[in-house]
Amino acid sequence: MNRAKGWWWIRVLLVGAVPLAFFACGGAADTTPIIQTVVVEKAVEKQVVQTVVVEKAVEKQVVQTVVVEKVVVATAAPSPTATALPPLKRATLVRVARDGQLGANPNATVDPFTRQSSIASCCYERLTNLASDFSPANILATGWSSNPTATEWTFNLRKGVKFHSGKEFTAQDVIYSFKEMFKEENGYPGRNQLGTFVDASKIAAVDSYTVRFTLPSPQAELPGLISIVEMVIVPEGQTVKERQTTVNGTGPFVMEKFDVNAQIWQWKKNANYWDAANRPRTDLIEISGIPDETNRVAAISTGAIDLITATGGAVKVAQVRNLEKNPDVQLLVGDPAISIVFFMWMDTPPFDDIRVRTAMKKIVDRQFIANTVLGGYALPGNDSPIPVTWESAYAKEAAKADLEGAKKLLAEAGYSKDKPLKLTMHVGDIHAGALEMT
């Protein structure tokens, strides 16, 4: 975000150590162990990126009207209590329920440049990804380097990668993809997020497996920034209409047919996936939409579904407690991935006074909220003036509550028992825990 506009990136970080729920008996099985790296990484990745999307969307709206200081409830580090992956048996079918509607949705699309993050994560791939500590990691890129001023970035590309159609992946696909992303008429979210410092017209191929980004201004975080979920690579020449109705990526799963009225989406494993060590161990994934959280929890509790997900976050703490009691359901606690943002309007009283804003941060008992309000499925975080998903945003020690310090600041700002500070808080049930924390 452009700090010249007067934004304050001050955060109270409180993290969601997100549980994934698995029904223990789903799918036909044999005795071959399943390596779940792809499934778990994709699930965490999806949640992380979705968090960024929600946060960015809010920021974009706010910056047009007000100047804010925001208090963020989020993560910037792996959970110390993450569950080790269990040795599950090989499954020929995994049934997944997500929180959105699939069937009979006239706006449904499989265009990976939009918010269809599940498609973008499993069927398409990006140059980079974020590791659990939010450091950039290779996917279709094998490495990168920059000039001393960080205005020129060179990415080395992976050889031997093919799209689902059989077309070989090259630098021309990278150039074409970013040009398509950044066309104003396409209206893709990526353009709004990265268009201020990535000039698609100045991305060039050094050779078939090397691509160079020339930026209008220094950007030291480019490898991490292009890891957002919409920054996928599509084959050169693929049109908008083709992207909306067909899937042709380099990812581990293939969607052979898309029907806008389908109640269930089917993804088959990509038997020719370039990463042989991490090819899917599941032959088929079936994805259905169950918008209501209670019904999703009921579906996995009865064995009708093998895995439940939610784009807005994990299931609510109360629902998690119910799942914990079910012997047929296994909860896997992964690295924290959800951020929740509280904004203070800096140009509107009382938050136009920095003493009030600082006092608000001091009254928050982050450890209490993490342990009690969010039931231990969270980690306390710390204030940071930079985006929460950047590797350098993480601080080991979170700030402690300081009520006396808050009282002192409020007194200096002119508040007392006779003139108390009165606040109105607005909250939406868009993240698990948001209402409870408020």
Side-chain angles (χ1 to χ4, degrees):
M1 182 55 60
N2 186 352
R3 294 174 184 82
K5 291 184 180 294
W7 277 67
W8 280 81
W9 290 75
I10 312 254
R11 315 173 179 274
V12 178
L13 296 181
L14 191 92
V15 294
V18 182
L20 299 177
F22 288 88
F23 189 81
C25 303
D30 61 27
T31 58
T32 308
I34 177 172
I35 300 176
Q36 290 195 91
T37 303
V38 172
V39 174
V40 173
E41 281 184 352
K42 296 299 182 184
V44 172
E45 170 194 305
K46 174 185 173 184
Q47 294 160 1
V48 170
V49 175
Q50 185 68 19
T51 296
V52 176
V53 168
V54 171
E55 184 180 281
K56 296 293 185 183
V58 173
E59 287 168 0
K60 181 188 173 188
Q61 295 166 10
V62 169
V63 77
Q64 295 172 349
T65 56
V66 294
V67 180
V68 305
E69 178 165 358
K70 66 182 183 181
V71 180
V72 179
V73 181
T75 179
S79 167
T81 57
T83 307
L85 297 181
L88 296 182
K89 294 183 178 181
R90 180 182 180 88
T92 57
L93 169 64
V94 173
R95 300 159 300 173
V96 182
R98 51 174 285 177
D99 61 346
Q101 180 181 354
L102 291 187
N105 181 357
N107 298 317
T109 173
V110 285
D111 190 334
F113 291 147
T114 66
R115 301 283 189 216
Q116 204 55 265
S117 57
S118 56
I119 291 287
S121 296
C122 293
C123 299
Y124 290 87
E125 293 178 304
R126 303 175 299 283
L127 293 182
T128 63
N129 189 14
L130 290 183
S132 59
D133 63 353
F134 293 117
S135 61
N138 293 318
I139 303 185
L140 292 179
T142 58
W144 54 79
S145 60
S146 74
N147 64 357
T149 59
T151 56
E152 188 176 276
W153 285 88
T154 302
F155 289 83
N156 301 317
L157 305 181
R158 196 173 297 279
K159 298 178 181 179
V161 176
K162 291 187 177 181
F163 290 94
H164 299 159
S165 62
K167 178 187 180 299
E168 185 182 6
F169 161 69
T170 69
Q172 293 303 322
D173 300 307
V174 176
I175 296 170
Y176 178 80
S177 297
F178 275 87
K179 285 184 177 179
E180 287 292 287
M181 277 183 253
F182 285 18
K183 281 183 179 178
E184 185 173 2
E185 61 269 26
N186 288 344
Y188 291 140
R191 181 180 183 276
N192 298 327
Q193 297 182 50
L194 300 188
T196 56
F197 53 81
V198 175
D199 187 344
S201 68
K202 294 184 178 179
I203 303 176
V206 178
D207 57 41
S208 295
Y209 298 101
T210 311
V211 66
R212 181 166 295 148
F213 289 67
T214 301
L215 309 180
S217 60
Q219 181 48 256
E221 303 283 349
L222 186 66
L225 291 170
I226 63 174
S227 70
I228 65 175
V229 72
E230 300 93 0
M231 295 285 142
V232 300
I233 306 303
V234 301
E236 182 183 13
Q238 188 185 48
T239 66
V240 174
K241 185 175 181 180
E242 288 172 337
R243 287 193 293 273
Q244 291 175 339
T245 58
T246 59
V247 176
N248 186 16
T250 61
F253 287 94
V254 176
M255 189 174 190
E256 294 183 342
K257 182 181 180 181
F258 168 64
D259 180 356
V260 71
N261 295 312
Q263 301 294 326
I264 295 177
W265 289 358
Q266 289 190 338
W267 296 346
K268 294 184 178 180
K269 70 176 181 181
N270 181 1
N272 299 314
Y273 184 51
W274 59 266
D275 188 355
N278 288 307
R279 283 176 184 156
R281 270 64 177 180
T282 300
D283 295 330
L284 182 67
I285 292 181
E286 288 188 349
I287 301 181
S288 58
I290 305 180
D292 181 74
E293 180 186 56
T294 300
N295 290 338
R296 278 201 314 278
V297 171
I300 196 169
S301 299
T302 60
I305 292 295
D306 304 310
L307 169 67
I308 58 176
T309 68
T311 56
V315 295
K316 291 182 175 61
V317 172
Q319 297 277 34
V320 173
R321 293 296 182 228
N322 291 332
L323 289 173
E324 285 178 334
K325 299 173 185 177
N326 189 330
D328 294 324
V329 175
Q330 186 170 19
L331 294 179
L332 301 183
V333 179
D335 293 331
I338 305 293
S339 69
I340 303 176
V341 186
F342 293 137
F343 289 94
M344 295 182 285
W345 308 136
M346 291 173 59
D347 57 354
T348 303
F351 297 127
D352 55 347
D353 190 328
I354 191 173
R355 294 168 295 188
V356 176
R357 299 198 303 271
T358 304
M360 290 298 296
K361 292 184 291 180
K362 286 181 176 293
I363 69 171
V364 178
D365 188 336
R366 309 166 201 227
Q367 193 67 60
F368 172 81
I369 295 178
N371 291 348
T372 305
V373 179
L374 296 181
Y377 291 106
L379 292 176
N382 209 7
D383 295 332
S384 173
I386 59 178
V388 65
T389 51
W390 288 12
E391 180 184 10
S392 47
Y394 175 65
K396 252 187 175 181
E397 296 297 326
K400 308 295 183 184
D402 179 10
L403 296 183
E404 293 305 315
K407 290 177 182 178
K408 182 179 178 182
L409 286 168
L410 291 176
E412 292 175 1
Y415 296 98
S416 63
K417 290 184 179 180
D418 296 328
K419 185 189 174 183
L421 174 65
K422 296 182 179 180
L423 301 173
T424 300
M425 297 186 69
H426 302 270
V427 62
D429 193 15
I430 60 170
H431 279 293
L435 291 174
E436 293 85 347
M437 285 189 301
T438 305

